[in-house]
Structures are given as structure tokens and as C-alpha cells.
Amino acid sequence: MTRIAICAPGKRLEREHADAVLDLAQERGGVELVFHRQCFERHGHFAGDDETRLEAFLECANDPDVDAVWFAAGGYGSNRIASQAIAGLGDAARSKTFLGYSDTGYILASLYKAGIGKPVHGPMVADISRDDGEAAISRSLDWLTGNVSGLEAELDERPTVAFNLMTLAMLCGTDLMPDLTGHVVCVEEVGEYLYAVDRLFFHVTQHLSDIAGLRLGRIGAVPENDRPFGMSEQEIAQFWCERAGIPYLGLADIGHDAANKIVPFGVASEALRA
């Protein structure tokens, strides 16, 4: 039986979404989901204040009876607790998988930098609310219980990471940012104007000159501006990669949608053996 603890470092999880995922887990068997009560707290934008969210994460990560920590939702907030979270981790956290994406990329990045646990980009509990959300949840539950069928198809022997583009831009230049020299960096975004996507690429490519290359995930739900930007999202990525001397490696099957694939941080084949 795989025991998975769930906490919410950013925004609150709706109980109906937790119940739907519990039902799926019970149907498949072999897995126990433990939702920390903090997932349902309210404090303005957040699932509880910073101290509450930090304590919940540490309780889940440091529990020796838990095999993995699965993040409930993204939103905004995990950067506010990431440094303290890493400082508070004990030995029990070092063997765990930590799975999420979007805003939780701050914690995934911090774990990767510290060499703690196995950070993984993949669907979160709240993705049950998306169209075809059951498929997204099943993909993460499969990974957490040893089924690798949801792995992003183009991963190779180069170390790889995956981030939301805004999250990565905010990480750059901070003490949370891991060394990505020699890595393939996959990025995705949602809900940003194309001029904002261009601005984000301007910034992140200044910090990624030593990477092995960049792959572009889906740029979803782009708002309509008052005038066309004049470049597609792929043309934007190619433009800034060329300016920075970064190899552009094509598309990645990740995004803020139910088709979001699994990307373990590091070398995928090593994650499969772990």
C-alpha cells in the first residue's frame, strides 16, 4: 500500500475535488490518500497563513509512514514558505517523492537544489476539476505507485526539469534557484498575453545560458489583446533562445491542462530505477 500525504502550499483545495480524487483512489486500490486538514483552510488567497501552510508541509514531508507528498493545488504562495520548508526537513523526507507543478515549482526547485527527495512535475489533486481531469489524476497516481506510462515521451539521458514560465522567471536570481547547467528545461504557461510571454522569455533566457536546451510546453488560455503580437509562442521561444545562444529543442507535452505529462527532475532513467 502506497501512502500519499496531501497538503496545499498555496491556494485552498475544494472538498468536492478531494472527495472525487478519494473516490478514484479507492476504486483503483493499493493507495491510501491522507489529506492534511490544512488543505481546506482559508486565509485570504491562501490555504491558511504562512505558518499553517509551512507546518502542514513539514508534517507531511517528515512523516516516516508517508511514501510521497502530493501537492493539492497551485495558485500563489509556495515561494513564501519554500526556504523555511527546506530548512525544516529531516531524514524521512529524503526518500520521498514530491509531486506538483505550477506555483509548487518553487518547492520542487528548492528540493532539487538541496538534493532532497525526488521532485516531480505532474498533475495535482485540483486537476480533477479540468476537462478529462480523471485522466490527469490517474497519471499522477500511476507514477506514485510505480507505473511510468504517463512519462513525458521525449525525455532522454540528459537531466531535465519542468516549470511554469512565470514561476521559473520569479526563481531566477533568488536563493531558491537550482543550478541547471547541462539540463533540458521545459516550460509552459497559462493565462498570459503573448507580449507577457515574450517578456518572461527575455528574462529567463538571461539566466539559462549554460543549459543543454529549452523545450516549449503548451501556452494555454492566451487572452486576446487589443492588437496582434505578431509572433506565435513558438516563434517567441525560438527568438529568445537564439538571442541567448540556447538550443531550442522543440515542444514538450506539458501544460495547465489534463494532458500534462510527468517530468521527474534529473535524469528520467535514474528516477525509474529509484
Side-chain angles (χ1 to χ4, degrees), residues 45-243:
H45 173 90
F46 307 108
D49 61 20
D50 290 354
E51 183 178 357
T52 298
R53 301 194 322 282
L54 175 61
E55 288 179 356
F57 172 77
L58 291 176
E59 286 177 16
C60 293
N62 289 329
D63 186 341
D65 297 323
V66 164
D67 301 297
V69 176
W70 191 14
F71 296 126
Y76 171 71
S78 74
N79 61 307
R80 295 170 61 101
I81 65 171
S83 294
Q84 302 98 309
I86 298 304
L89 292 175
D91 290 342
R94 296 188 174 276
S95 61
K96 285 183 175 55
T97 296
F98 296 83
L99 191 150
Y101 74 108
S102 191
D103 181 78
T104 66
Y106 294 107
I107 293 181
L108 297 178
S110 301
L111 289 163
Y112 193 54
K113 179 179 181 179
I116 296 174
K118 297 180 282 289
V120 179
H121 162 106
M124 295 179 288
V125 175
D127 286 318
I128 190 66
S129 65
R130 299 188 185 278
D131 291 341
D132 204 23
E134 290 189 6
I137 297 304
S138 294
R139 190 176 307 118
S140 283
L141 288 175
D142 283 347
W143 177 265
L144 292 170
T145 54
N147 182 329
V148 302
S149 60
L151 201 65
E152 209 278 343
E154 300 300 322
L155 301 180
D156 56 28
E157 290 305 306
R158 291 174 293 187
T160 301
V161 294
F163 289 105
N164 169 258
L165 184 57
M166 178 68 79
T167 301
L168 180 58
M170 295 300 102
L171 279 164
C172 289
T174 73
D175 59 1
L176 304 181
M177 181 70 170
D179 181 4
L180 298 181
T181 301
H183 285 64
V184 174
V185 177
C186 304
V187 295
E188 54 81 25
E189 189 51 83
V190 65
E192 296 288 349
Y193 290 102
L194 286 180
Y195 69 77
V197 171
D198 189 80
R199 181 191 298 139
L200 291 168
F201 268 108
F202 156 72
H203 178 67
V204 300
T205 52
Q206 306 303 305
H207 295 266
L208 300 177
S209 59
D210 294 327
I211 66 172
L214 183 139
R215 295 178 60 208
L216 180 66
R218 288 178 287 282
I219 307 295
V222 176
E224 184 175 349
N225 197 19
D226 60 354
R227 69 202 71 186
F229 183 67
M231 298 174 74
S232 70
E233 52 265 42
Q234 187 162 197
E235 288 170 337
I236 291 169
Q238 291 169 326
F239 174 84
W240 287 109
C241 282
E242 183 177 359
R243 282 273 293 262

Side-chain angles (χ1 to χ4, degrees), residues 14-59:
E14 299 302 323
R15 289 186 182 274
E16 64 191 78
H17 298 153
D19 289 341
V21 172
L22 277 171
D23 288 343
L24 277 178
Q26 289 171 359
E27 288 173 8
R28 66 186 287 138
V31 60
E32 179 186 3
L33 302 185
V34 182
F35 285 85
H36 197 287
R37 62 190 179 280
Q38 170 271 328
C39 291
F40 312 108
E41 293 286 336
R42 290 185 186 273
H43 183 81
H45 173 90
F46 307 108
D49 61 20
D50 290 354
E51 183 178 357
T52 298
R53 301 194 322 282
L54 175 61
E55 288 179 356
F57 172 77
L58 291 176
E59 286 177 16

